[in-house]
Amino acid sequence: MSPTPYLELEGVAAHLGERRVFDNLSLRLNLGEHTVVLGPNGAGKSALVKLISREIYPVVQQGSSLRLFGDRTVNLWQLRQRIGLVSSDLERLYNPAVRATDVVLSGCFGSVGIGRSQNPTPAMQQQVAELMEQLGLLELATERFGQLSEGQRRRLLIARALVHKPDVLVLDEPTNALDLKARHQLLELMRQLSSSGTTLLLVTHQIEAVIPEIQRCVMLKAGELMADGPCHHVLTSAKLSNLFETPLQLLEANGYRQVLPG
């Protein structure tokens, strides 16, 4: 059986603010295929995430198209139920005083925090409690978001993204600003999620964040597709040196990878 795509870009041009990020990007990402989009700052990774979440739209031009789950037009509420997103941008939107439980509950409404008009049902509250227990977050339920560590906040946002049991979980630079313990805990959580039926899309510039379960690597550089294929073919010292424009040596151990100066 041929794979089912959740994202199809054909000849897409797009702007991020005033900057034109893509001129002619074509890319297809498939359900069931854990993928990393790798590239330096300015490569277009954030723009790609925003295209997927419909925060930005491609330039309308002949021969260009963007499809999500096979459709050109997308209902945003339905999209939020099928694609969960974890990003630093989302983290910064939360009021530091909001309770940890309400961060996760807000995912039920696709909102940032719980407003006065939003009344979580007992079923929602039960689901959130079970999800927080599953992710080892239940003891943080009454804590304030701003008092939590970076790693705890990141795991809460992952719980928020999972409330609808999405088909795809987009992790945008999930290990940024984490210390070693928090980073390893997050990587272990990602490994657990990889076998849960949710497709992972990891977007990062950090080789160390690529868990062994990631099957495919897409390299972006200056808004262009530089390489695309199985990780064991694409993640090489030569390709990484070219991507980041500095000599690098790739090391592998237990399915993980690190880079040293070449």
Side-chain angles (χ1 to χ4, degrees):
M1 295 178 61
S2 59
T4 302
Y6 62 88
L7 174 69
E8 296 169 277
L9 302 179
E10 187 65 39
V12 163
H15 292 83
L16 194 57
E18 297 297 319
R19 183 169 68 94
R20 191 174 179 98
V21 183
F22 303 126
D23 281 317
N24 185 30
L25 181 65
S26 296
L27 178 65
R28 173 177 168 147
L29 299 178
N30 301 311
L31 290 172
E33 185 177 55
H34 303 311
T35 301
V36 58
V37 175
L38 191 66
N41 294 336
K45 303 189 302 298
S46 294
L48 179 63
V49 171
K50 291 179 186 300
L51 282 172
I52 294 172
S53 63
R54 307 302 274 169
E55 292 178 62
I56 63 172
Y57 290 82
V59 176
V60 177
Q61 56 186 17
Q62 188 173 6
S64 174
S65 67
L66 185 158
R67 290 184 175 87
L68 288 164
F69 299 101
D71 293 325
R72 289 176 182 262
T73 58
V74 176
N75 178 296
L76 285 179
W77 172 244
Q78 292 176 349
L79 182 65
R80 287 174 184 150
Q81 293 179 310
R82 301 196 70 180
I83 296 182
L85 173 63
V86 177
S87 70
S88 297
D89 286 348
L90 177 61
E91 183 177 333
R92 284 191 288 267
L93 291 176
Y94 273 89
N95 186 322
V98 70
R99 293 187 315 157
T101 297
D102 289 340
V103 171
V104 184
L105 272 172
S106 67
C108 298
F109 301 97
S111 60
V112 176
I114 300 295
R116 293 180 180 177
S117 63
Q118 295 165 330
N119 297 305
T121 65
M124 288 178 182
Q125 293 172 335
Q126 178 66 24
Q127 180 193 11
V128 164
E130 291 174 356
L131 191 54
M132 291 182 71
E133 183 175 20
Q134 177 188 337
L135 300 187
L137 296 167
L138 202 53
E139 63 183 22
L140 305 177
T142 60
E143 298 290 333
R144 303 298 176 181
F145 192 63
Q147 295 175 337
L148 301 177
S149 69
E150 286 282 353
Q152 290 169 332
R153 291 201 293 268
R154 212 66 49 84
R155 285 159 56 207
L156 271 178
L157 291 178
I158 289 176
R160 176 191 183 276
L162 293 175
V163 293
H164 292 297
K165 299 180 180 178
D167 297 305
V168 180
L169 178 62
V170 180
L171 299 165
D172 185 8
E173 301 287 7
T175 56
N176 269 10
L178 299 188
D179 63 26
L180 277 175
K181 180 180 178 180
R183 185 185 308 165
H184 291 168
Q185 288 175 334
L186 185 59
L187 294 177
E188 182 57 34
L189 175 57
M190 289 165 57
R191 297 195 70 178
Q192 294 171 17
L193 294 174
S194 71
S195 59
S196 69
T198 296
T199 301
L200 300 186
L201 177 61
L202 171 64
V203 180
T204 187
H205 66 275
Q206 297 179 335
I207 311 301
E208 297 83 358
V210 183
I211 58 174
E213 288 75 13
I214 298 286
Q215 303 148 301
R216 176 181 171 191
C217 179
V218 173
M219 288 184 172
L220 279 181
K221 183 177 181 180
E224 295 185 358
L225 194 62
M226 199 195 87
D228 182 7
C231 284
H232 62 276
H233 286 160
V234 174
L235 288 176
T236 65
S237 297
K239 283 187 171 65
L240 288 168
S241 298
N242 185 18
L243 180 67
F244 290 99
E245 296 183 352
T246 189
L248 296 171
Q249 180 184 2
L250 181 70
L251 302 179
E252 298 188 42
N254 301 322
Y256 286 95
R257 302 169 179 86
Q258 289 192 342
V259 287
L260 300 177

